[in-house]
Amino acid sequence: MSTLHLLLNAVTVIFIAATMFAAGLGTTWPDLRAVLTDGPLLALVLLANLVVLPLLGWGIAALFGLPAPAFVALLLIASSPGGPFGAKLGMVQRGDVAAGAAAQVLLAALGSITFGPTVNVLLNAANMGGGVSLEVATLMLTVAVLQLVPFAVGLVMRHQAAPTARAWHPAAATVSNVTFLAVLAGMLVGNWRDIVALIASLSLLAGSLLAAVAFVLGTVLATGPRPRRTTMGGVAAVHNAGPALAAVGIAFDNEPAVLGALAAVLLSGLATALPIATVLSRRRNGPTPGSRTAPEPCPPSGPPGE
């Protein structure tokens, strides 16, 4: 593995951990409970991300007649929910950060289990073969270390030491923002030849369309106020690259064409979802839901809450 890839992997790890830590610092117990006990919202989010979007990815790949590497890449991405960029988009659009972080972490955990079977079914249905077989325990451990743990640490700090959490939140958000830009730049520099080669194949357009339609579906298949619904749209629009990269390594022996297509689909999706979140942010004023910055009283004794 080249030095650039090693550096990009290290920065990506920092980005994921910092993003989830910042999300935890900005989330209160009542915010989190409100999401996890909202049965209709959870049912719609799971339906959109675990069922509708994988089928959407298959449909778009077939509609555009993508070459095999790009076809496989689009299916892998569409079947891997819970990307940490979803939490970042919730911050960018000034949406419901608590709801977005809770949904993203839940989808990442469940997606580590559903990814392999879903991809197998879609690849076989599309006559792509592949026989993807992944170790569920390894994927779940990766999700736990990089996403669940930082989020939980931030959440506990917010509950047990609210002043410290508020003081640390700006620094964590800054690290998240800087590493976010570094990851984007690294992916562009490291895979630009493969990305340019895919322009004529409509692969970039397919990735953009998947992200745009997913943003709309995620918003429509959600409940609650508009900021919460558009936050769920952002969560649906971006995907978890970890399982997809593991599948390329295990089932496709890190084939360069598939890796390049995977980078192209990820980047085109981010390039589509980020402007949507930015436009939403400009239309909103006031504090970000689920991420209050004004001084709060110390939590009372008794049941968790602020």
Side-chain angles (χ1 to χ4, degrees):
M1 183 177 291
S2 67
T3 301
L4 177 60
H5 285 156
L6 288 173
L7 181 60
L8 179 59
N9 287 343
V11 175
T12 300
V13 168
I14 296 172
F15 161 70
I16 294 172
T19 298
M20 298 314 301
F21 181 56
L25 291 175
T27 302
T28 66
W29 284 112
D31 292 331
L32 190 60
R33 283 201 303 269
V35 175
L36 297 181
T37 58
D38 189 336
L41 175 64
L42 287 181
L44 289 172
V45 167
L46 295 179
L47 173 66
N49 289 272
L50 299 181
V51 179
V52 177
L53 291 186
L55 294 175
L56 175 65
W58 179 21
I60 291 176
L63 177 66
F64 284 10
L66 297 181
F71 201 116
V72 170
L74 198 67
L75 290 186
L76 294 178
I77 292 301
S79 303
S80 184
F85 285 101
K88 169 55 65 178
L89 289 178
M91 298 174 189
V92 170
Q93 67 172 274
R94 299 178 62 80
D96 192 332
V97 176
Q104 184 263 309
V105 170
L106 177 63
L107 286 169
L110 292 178
S112 67
I113 300 173
T114 63
F115 173 76
T118 301
V119 170
N120 270 331
V121 169
L122 292 180
L123 288 177
N124 290 329
N127 295 319
M128 287 289 169
V132 178
S133 179
L134 301 174
E135 293 186 12
V136 171
T138 301
L139 291 179
M140 293 185 68
L141 179 61
T142 301
V143 170
V145 171
L146 293 184
Q147 299 183 49
L148 295 177
V149 171
F151 179 75
V153 170
L155 182 66
V156 170
M157 284 189 62
R158 178 62 184 256
H159 177 61
Q160 298 292 342
T164 302
R166 289 193 294 269
W168 285 22
H169 188 270
T174 298
V175 172
S176 173
N177 291 335
V178 171
T179 52
F180 172 68
L181 296 176
V183 168
L184 288 181
M187 292 184 73
L188 284 171
V189 172
N191 299 279
W192 70 270
R193 291 186 180 87
D194 297 305
I195 293 171
V196 170
L198 288 169
I199 292 177
S201 72
L202 300 179
S203 300
L204 296 177
L205 180 59
S208 295
L209 182 60
L210 175 65
V213 177
F215 210 123
V216 174
L217 284 174
T219 300
V220 172
L221 294 178
T223 60
R226 182 173 177 81
R228 172 171 293 184
R229 288 186 285 112
T230 59
T231 298
M232 295 305 164
V235 170
V238 292
H239 303 270
N240 199 346
L245 288 171
V248 174
I250 294 172
F252 300 97
D253 196 26
N254 283 320
E255 183 179 337
V258 179
L259 283 174
L262 196 68
V265 171
L266 285 170
L267 287 172
S268 59
L270 286 172
T272 300
L274 189 56
I276 297 174
T278 302
V279 170
L280 289 172
S281 173
R282 292 174 179 173
R283 294 180 178 179
R284 291 171 179 160
N285 296 312
T288 302
S291 183
R292 296 184 292 270
T293 57
E296 300 173 355
C298 295
S301 58
E306 289 191 343

